[in-house]
Amino acid sequence: MRLHRLDITAFGPFGGSQSVDFDELSAAGLFLLHGPTGAGKTSVLDAVCYALYGSVPGVRQSGQGLTLRSDHAAPATRTEVRLELTVSGRRLELTRQPPWERPKKKGRGTTVDKAQSWLREYDTTAADWKDLSRSHQEIGEEITQLLGMSREQFCQVVLLPQGEFARFLRSDAEARGKLLGRLFDTHRFAEVEKRLAERRRTTEAQVRQGDAELLADAHRMQQAAGPAMELPDLAPGEPGLAAEVLGAAAIARSTAREQLTIAHSRLDAAESARVAADRALADVRELARLQQRFAQARERAALLEERADGYRQAQARMERARKAEAVAPALELRDVAETEHREAARAETRARDLLPETFADAGAAGLTAAARRAAEELGGLESARRADRRLTELGVERAELDRQERADDDVRQEAEAWLAGWDTHRAELRTRIESAQEAAGRAEQLAVRREPAERRLRAARQRDQFAGDTEAAQRQVLARAEHAVQARAHWLDLKEQRLNGIAAELAAHLTDGEPCAVCGAREHPAPARKSAEHVGRAAEEQALTAHQHAEEQRTEAERRLALVREALAAATAEAGDTPTGRLAGEVAELERLYEQERRAASWLHPAAEELRQAEQEHERRTGIQQQAALRAASRTALRDTLDRERASLEEELAQARGTADSVAARVGQLERQAALLTDAADTARVAEDTAQRLKDADARLVDAAFRAGFDTPQDAAAARLDDRAHRELQRRLDAWQSEEAAVRAVLAEADTAAAAQQPPADPDAAERAAHAAERRTRDAASARDAADRRRAELDRLSARSAAGARQLAPLRAEYDRVARLAALTAGTSADNERKMRLESYVLAARLEQVAAAATVRLRRMSSGRYTLVHSDDRAGRGRSGLGLHVVDAWTGRERDTATLSGGETFFASLALALGLADVVTDEAGGVRLDTLFIDEGFGSLDEQTLDEVLDVLDSLRERDRSVGIVSHVADLRRRIHAQLEVVKGRAGSAVRQRGQ
């Protein structure tokens, strides 16, 4: 990926339009991005990230949208970032416009335009730009796919944040794991750990549940087997539980079968004794029954002899009733004919009583003719009846028209009353809407003024704080400078004293015969002697060290003073000279006015909605009024038509009803007269027919009684028996005959007569013996059934336990396998010697690659002294972490990176960042990164180390890369000729570019 050009408009601190030509800057390989604090160096990098991903890096991404817009921009200037770059051999142009709060084209106030994005590609064939997409989502997916990196990875490997890597060197394994996991996307390995742990818990619960069910069956088997079975002293989930339960079940089943065999033997013996007792009881009962049967038969024979006369009389009565049955049909026919004639005569009388006297002597034929004439006259009135019904309908329709007219009058009056106040109501609503719109515009203007005022207030508070810090820093600089001067004077005094007494120091090393180190003489006649005030080398070096330490403290104090002054200048530039209290009052007043206008503007939507509803109601009421007028005109024409039809019908009905009050009354008279005549004619014909049938029935009855042997029909009727009496008499005869035959049969039985000759039987004693044998048999059967149930229950539970153990075996094997894998990936298994989690293991491999890639540059920066190595030594809770050590070639020792000094930490973190960029690039599919940016940190390097670091960065040109350095170090401006300077001013920041 190579950057070519960046255009910024109204973005961050840049109020106008600024352009950066990266092709010119990249021609030198190294270029410097510098400028005062707060000028907008970071905003240039933010613009690159925003153009690619639609958001800015790090914590700055929390304020997107309207906050990206420059406060220095003109109201009509839209914020825009355009980046031209080459990636994967394709030259692309990305344009991003965040949401923009612009002035309304009509009226007052502002409105917000949505964010927009464009992606174009340069077509070399057509030598022109070709539009690819305007969708935020499609552009984001395309850029992420081309670069192979997310926004976080891009900010880590292209915009190298040295501060983060310095913390990375000093952080613990957990913090390193978070950064590496975010860059290398290793959450899928953590998901594997999580899934295995969940799988282990699931299978463990299933195994425990299976063991619990197995143990529950064992308890049930113990309840069935009793003391013959002992439960295993194991809990669910412990190994060997299934084998213990199945072994105990086998012993209990064997014992239950033995008990069942003994119970069967006892039951067989009791059953034999019961059968013998039952047989003896049956014999005694049979003898007693025969003896009682013979005695009862003798008693019944005597009773039959006493009732013989009554039996012969009943037989004679039955014979006369049998003869009378031959006359019964004629009797019944005569009774039916008499009943029918009597009923017909009464019906004829009732029908004639309802007729006028003129029909009293008329026969059936005369009545029928009169009914026919009434029906004919009734048929002639059918047309009049229809006219009468239509006249009634006309009255209903006329009443409905009157009701509709009254309803329309009410509706029309209500609509007219509502419409009378419409103009006034509409004017009031529009006034309310205009007031709310004006309040909304004022609220938007106040919101625009509020943010700069709040920033100025924050800057003023920082200005006051930095002013106090500046005074304290100045006092500290003065104190440190005075201390440094005193330390230097003390060192120079000691040095002068030592030089003055150097002869004595040299004389202390003279030896007779040895040449002098100064004059070469071998004789030393008068060597100098040390005085009491003599100063030695150790004292001088100690004073020199104190002087150097004091100088370092003075330099550090001056550096802090410069930083505080720079921060104070930035805060003063933002806040101006206005007092903080005054700014706080202005902010409070803006906030109060904003809340006031915002509350007033909140009525805009309710008022607009009320106006919309009122306009709909006005339209509805107007429509109602018009429809009511149309219906009134239609009703007038319909009412005239109904009146003409009514007059015609009334004339026709007056002719049809004659003397009756109405046609319906005349129709009712004729219908009643025709019905009475028809009924009277019918009853007269029925009376004549029934009289003839009664005469015929009398003749047939006399003839039937004579042939049956009765003198008169009355004698035959008296001899008849009804069904109940006939059944009762027949029952008595049949009972006597049956009883006589039964008594003769019993007295003729040989075994009954023989039993009567024997002694009386005693069935009670035999029954008691049989009951005792039955009770013993029941007890034995109960014992046998209990043993059988116990055996069956044990067999069933044992079979279920065996089946459960078989089904549980593969699940237990799966649990053992999953538990081993889960413990291995979680780092808790004994097989995992380093106690490393799976994700930590993958990150450790990545960290090892990063350390190897970083060492190549670190060795060069440190002149071969330092080497970065990954360490998997155990840290926290006994597990291996993501250790990172540095090997010092001067001492041959390996130590933690947290022990590096400030300068060493800088170039170590720089090497680590470059190495990580290489590894992440390879991880992303080898996308070439031709443009890199390195953040601040060069000020902690000495001159020699700075040269070595710049040589390493300059070596990146071998890969045709360009590196942009973001720094305040003044020496870099002399060393690096290609520069991009960001200059700040009251109207916003600007960029100045200088090539090679």
Side-chain angles (χ1 to χ4, degrees):
M1 180 199 75
R2 178 177 293 277
L3 304 181
H4 298 295
R5 183 179 181 85
L6 176 66
D7 295 322
I8 306 173
T9 303
F11 182 86
F14 304 103
S17 296
Q18 304 293 325
S19 296
V20 180
D21 188 351
F22 285 108
D23 287 337
E24 180 183 2
L25 294 173
S26 300
L30 284 178
F31 63 90
L32 179 66
L33 176 59
H34 67 94
T37 301
K41 300 186 297 298
T42 305
S43 295
V44 175
L45 306 183
D46 289 349
V48 173
C49 185
Y50 181 73
L52 290 172
Y53 293 96
S55 60
V56 295
V59 297
R60 297 188 296 278
Q61 64 180 305
S62 61
Q64 297 291 319
L66 299 177
T67 58
L68 294 177
R69 179 171 175 79
S70 175
D71 295 330
H72 303 285
T77 302
R78 175 151 195 178
T79 303
E80 181 179 274
V81 176
R82 180 182 291 109
L83 176 65
E84 187 178 337
L85 73 159
T86 297
V87 58
S88 299
R90 300 170 60 185
R91 187 152 184 154
L92 303 174
E93 182 188 77
L94 280 159
T95 304
R96 302 271 191 181
Q97 293 181 349
W100 180 40
E101 187 177 18
R102 62 169 177 81
K104 292 182 178 179
K105 296 180 180 179
K106 295 181 179 180
R108 292 180 298 175
T110 60
T111 185
V112 177
D113 285 348
K114 295 182 179 179
Q116 298 187 35
S117 300
W118 292 270
L119 175 62
R120 302 197 303 171
E121 182 177 4
Y122 187 75
D123 189 350
T124 56
T125 304
D128 196 4
W129 291 97
K130 177 178 63 176
D131 291 334
L132 295 182
S133 177
R134 297 193 62 175
S135 168
H136 301 295
Q137 183 176 359
E138 290 180 359
I139 295 174
E141 293 175 354
E142 180 74 13
I143 294 300
T144 302
Q145 183 177 3
L146 287 174
L147 295 179
M149 291 180 287
S150 65
R151 182 183 58 79
E152 290 79 7
Q153 290 176 318
F154 176 83
C155 295
Q156 204 74 35
V157 302
V158 178
L159 313 178
L160 302 179
Q162 294 304 298
E164 285 194 22
F165 282 97
R167 288 192 297 273
F168 182 83
L169 289 172
R170 295 186 175 93
S171 60
D172 55 9
E174 182 178 358
R176 289 172 181 163
K178 289 180 179 180
L179 175 62
L180 294 174
R182 189 172 68 248
L183 292 177
F184 293 107
D185 191 19
T186 58
H187 69 278
R188 59 187 183 279
F189 299 102
E191 278 297 316
V192 171
E193 298 176 25
K194 181 180 177 182
R195 293 289 180 86
L196 285 173
E198 292 177 353
R199 183 77 176 276
R200 177 187 61 78
R201 287 192 295 271
T202 301
T203 53
E204 182 182 11
Q206 293 174 347
V207 169
R208 287 184 178 274
Q209 183 179 1
D211 283 350
E213 294 175 356
L214 197 62
L215 197 57
D217 287 342
H219 280 284
R220 296 187 185 96
M221 285 190 283
Q222 186 190 41
Q223 292 176 358
M229 180 178 176
E230 295 183 0
L231 290 178
D233 190 14
L234 294 174
E238 295 185 19
L241 177 64
E244 292 286 343
V245 170
L246 295 179
I251 296 173
R253 289 171 59 198
S254 177
T255 303
R257 289 192 180 93
E258 293 176 359
Q259 294 176 350
L260 180 61
T261 301
I262 295 172
H264 270 297
S265 300
R266 292 176 179 174
L267 178 60
D268 292 341
E271 185 68 24
S272 298
R274 184 190 64 77
V275 170
D278 288 345
R279 189 179 301 111
L281 176 60
D283 293 342
V284 172
R285 284 178 173 173
E286 180 63 18
L287 178 60
R289 185 185 69 78
L290 293 175
Q291 290 176 348
Q292 184 179 7
R293 180 180 177 82
F294 185 81
Q296 290 176 349
R298 295 292 299 271
E299 293 176 358
R300 290 162 60 193
L303 186 59
L304 286 174
E305 185 64 28
E306 294 177 357
R307 298 177 178 175
D309 292 340
Y311 171 68
R312 287 190 289 271
Q313 292 176 2
Q315 279 185 326
R317 180 73 178 88
M318 180 62 72
E319 183 63 24
R320 280 182 61 81
R322 191 174 295 112
K323 292 179 180 180
E325 287 302 319
V327 188
L331 285 171
E332 293 175 356
L333 182 60
R334 198 270 175 189
D335 290 341
V336 170
E338 184 180 8
T339 301
E340 290 176 351
H341 177 63
R342 188 166 50 251
E343 291 297 329
R346 283 200 294 269
E348 182 185 8
T349 303
R350 287 195 298 272
R352 286 183 179 274
D353 290 342
L354 297 176
L355 293 176
E357 294 182 357
T358 56
F359 299 102
D361 298 331
L367 293 174
T368 301
R372 188 180 302 112
R373 290 192 299 271
E376 291 173 354
E377 185 178 356
L378 182 62
L381 292 177
E382 183 61 29
S383 175
R385 296 175 66 183
R386 288 194 299 270
D388 192 24
R389 287 193 297 271
R390 176 56 184 161
L391 185 62
T392 303
E393 293 173 356
L394 289 176
V396 173
E397 293 177 6
R398 180 62 182 271
E400 177 63 20
L401 289 176
D402 295 340
R403 187 193 64 77
Q404 292 177 359
E405 184 174 8
R406 290 191 299 272
D408 284 346
D409 289 341
D410 295 339
V411 169
R412 188 169 54 254
Q413 291 174 3
E414 182 182 359
E416 290 174 352
W418 190 90
L419 291 173
W422 161 244
D423 293 335
T424 303
H425 184 53
R426 180 175 57 184
E428 291 175 355
L429 291 176
R430 287 180 175 175
T431 301
R432 287 170 56 190
I433 291 173
E434 291 174 357
S435 300
Q437 288 175 340
E438 293 174 357
R442 290 192 296 272
E444 291 176 355
Q445 294 173 358
L446 290 171
V448 172
R449 293 171 54 194
R450 184 178 58 171
E451 180 63 23
E454 290 177 349
R455 285 201 303 272
R456 290 188 62 193
L457 177 59
R458 289 194 297 270
R461 289 169 176 167
Q462 292 177 352
R463 178 196 63 195
D464 297 344
Q465 180 181 354
F466 289 148
D469 294 344
T470 301
E471 294 176 359
Q474 287 175 343
R475 289 193 297 272
Q476 189 176 20
V477 167
L478 293 175
R480 295 290 172 87
E482 183 178 356
H483 176 65
V485 170
Q486 293 174 358
R488 178 179 175 82
H490 178 62
W491 168 61
L492 293 175
D493 291 342
L494 292 180
K495 185 176 182 179
E496 183 178 1
Q497 292 178 20
R498 184 179 174 224
L499 291 175
N500 292 334
I502 194 66
E505 187 175 338
L506 292 174
H509 298 284
L510 294 177
T511 305
D512 291 338
E514 296 294 330
C516 176
V518 178
C519 64
R522 295 182 178 274
E523 296 180 357
H524 316 294
R529 304 295 181 184
K530 292 182 179 180
S531 63
E533 293 81 11
H534 178 75
V535 176
R537 178 187 296 273
E540 180 188 356
E541 290 179 351
Q542 183 177 5
L544 175 60
T545 301
H547 161 58
Q548 291 174 345
H549 181 66
E551 285 292 335
E552 290 177 355
Q553 289 182 335
R554 180 183 63 79
T555 302
E556 178 64 22
E558 289 176 349
R559 187 185 66 82
R560 286 197 296 270
L561 176 60
L563 292 176
V564 173
R565 282 176 173 172
E566 188 175 358
L568 175 60
T572 304
E574 178 72 23
D577 299 330
T578 307
T580 304
R582 179 179 174 184
L583 291 176
E586 292 177 357
V587 169
E589 179 62 18
L590 285 175
E591 184 68 25
R592 185 188 66 79
L593 293 175
Y594 172 74
E595 290 296 328
Q596 176 180 341
E597 297 299 336
R598 189 176 63 83
R599 286 194 299 271
S602 64
W603 291 101
L604 176 59
H605 179 71
E609 181 64 21
E610 187 176 354
L611 176 60
R612 185 186 63 80
Q613 294 177 356
E615 289 175 345
Q616 292 178 351
E617 183 66 16
H618 174 266
E619 183 178 355
R620 187 182 70 83
R621 300 270 185 166
T622 304
I624 289 174
Q625 190 178 33
Q626 294 173 354
Q627 291 173 2
L630 291 176
R631 287 195 299 271
S634 176
R635 279 194 302 271
T636 301
L638 181 58
R639 186 182 291 108
D640 294 341
T641 302
L642 294 178
D643 290 343
R644 288 192 299 271
E645 184 180 1
R646 180 176 183 178
S648 176
L649 291 175
E650 287 178 347
E651 182 179 356
E652 179 182 353
L653 291 175
Q655 296 176 358
R657 63 175 173 262
T659 58
D661 295 336
S662 64
V663 173
R666 179 59 181 162
V667 169
Q669 291 176 358
L670 292 175
E671 286 178 346
R672 285 193 298 274
Q673 183 177 353
L676 292 175
L677 290 172
T678 301
D679 189 26
D682 293 340
T683 55
R685 284 194 298 272
V686 171
E688 292 174 356
D689 293 340
T690 54
Q692 183 60 40
R693 285 198 298 273
L694 177 59
K695 185 183 297 184
D696 296 339
D698 286 337
R700 284 193 295 272
L701 176 60
V702 171
D703 184 60
F706 178 76
R707 285 196 303 272
F710 293 99
D711 294 336
T712 61
Q714 289 74 17
D715 293 341
R720 291 185 62 197
L721 292 174
D722 57 17
D723 291 341
R724 181 171 176 279
H726 185 274
R727 286 195 301 272
E728 179 62 24
L729 183 59
Q730 186 63 46
R731 185 189 63 75
R732 289 168 55 195
L733 292 173
D734 293 342
W736 195 91
Q737 292 174 355
S738 298
E739 181 69 10
E740 185 182 18
V743 169
R744 284 198 302 267
V746 171
L747 293 177
E749 293 174 354
D751 54 349
T752 304
Q757 303 299 322
Q758 295 183 14
D762 189 2
D764 293 337
E767 187 172 357
R768 287 192 295 274
H771 285 170
E774 178 69 22
R775 185 169 59 255
R776 288 192 295 272
T777 302
R778 284 197 304 270
D779 293 341
S782 298
R784 190 277 315 273
D785 293 342
D788 189 47
R789 285 194 301 272
R790 185 161 53 250
R791 188 267 313 162
E793 182 67 10
L794 287 173
D795 288 346
R796 183 183 68 82
L797 293 174
S798 179
R800 190 167 75 177
S801 298
R806 286 194 300 272
Q807 294 175 358
L808 195 58
L811 184 61
R812 191 183 300 277
E814 180 184 1
Y815 165 67
D816 294 339
R817 182 173 65 257
V818 171
R820 287 197 301 274
L821 285 175
L824 188 64
T825 56
T828 59
S829 172
D831 297 333
N832 191 335
E833 297 179 358
R834 292 290 180 180
K835 302 299 181 184
M836 293 182 73
R837 293 173 48 242
L838 177 61
E839 185 181 15
S840 299
Y841 176 78
V842 175
L843 292 177
R846 292 289 188 267
L847 182 58
E848 191 171 1
Q849 295 174 355
V850 172
T855 296
V856 176
R857 297 183 176 89
L858 180 59
R859 290 176 62 84
R860 185 172 177 180
M861 292 181 189
S862 62
S863 300
R865 179 178 179 182
Y866 294 121
T867 301
L868 280 175
V869 295
H870 164 253
S871 173
D872 55 4
D873 291 341
R874 294 187 179 182
R877 295 181 293 180
R879 298 189 182 184
S880 297
L882 298 173
L884 191 63
H885 290 177
V886 62
V887 178
D888 190 343
W890 290 4
T891 63
R893 287 190 159 187
E894 180 178 327
R895 53 193 173 96
D896 194 272
T897 54
T899 62
L900 294 173
S901 65
E904 293 170 341
T905 298
F906 168 72
F907 60 70
S909 63
L910 176 59
L912 187 66
L914 294 173
L916 181 64
D918 292 339
V919 174
V920 173
T921 300
D922 295 337
E923 180 76 12
V927 177
R928 183 178 178 85
L929 300 177
D930 298 318
T931 306
L932 299 176
F933 294 92
I934 300 176
D935 206 347
E936 185 62 76
F938 293 86
S940 60
L941 304 179
D942 57 36
E943 184 174 356
Q944 180 181 356
T945 305
L946 180 60
D947 288 338
E948 293 173 348
V949 170
L950 291 179
D951 289 342
V952 172
L953 295 178
D954 192 56
S955 68
L956 296 176
R957 299 177 61 184
E958 299 173 1
R959 297 187 179 184
D960 196 21
R961 283 184 175 179
S962 61
V963 179
I965 298 177
V966 184
S967 178
H968 293 279
V969 177
D971 194 32
L972 289 176
R973 303 177 193 172
R974 177 176 52 82
R975 295 170 181 258
I976 302 175
H977 300 289
Q979 297 180 9
L980 179 65
E981 182 181 6
V982 183
V983 182
K984 66 179 180 180
R986 291 187 177 274
S989 298
V991 297
R992 289 203 294 254
Q993 184 170 327
R994 186 175 69 183
Q996 193 170 1

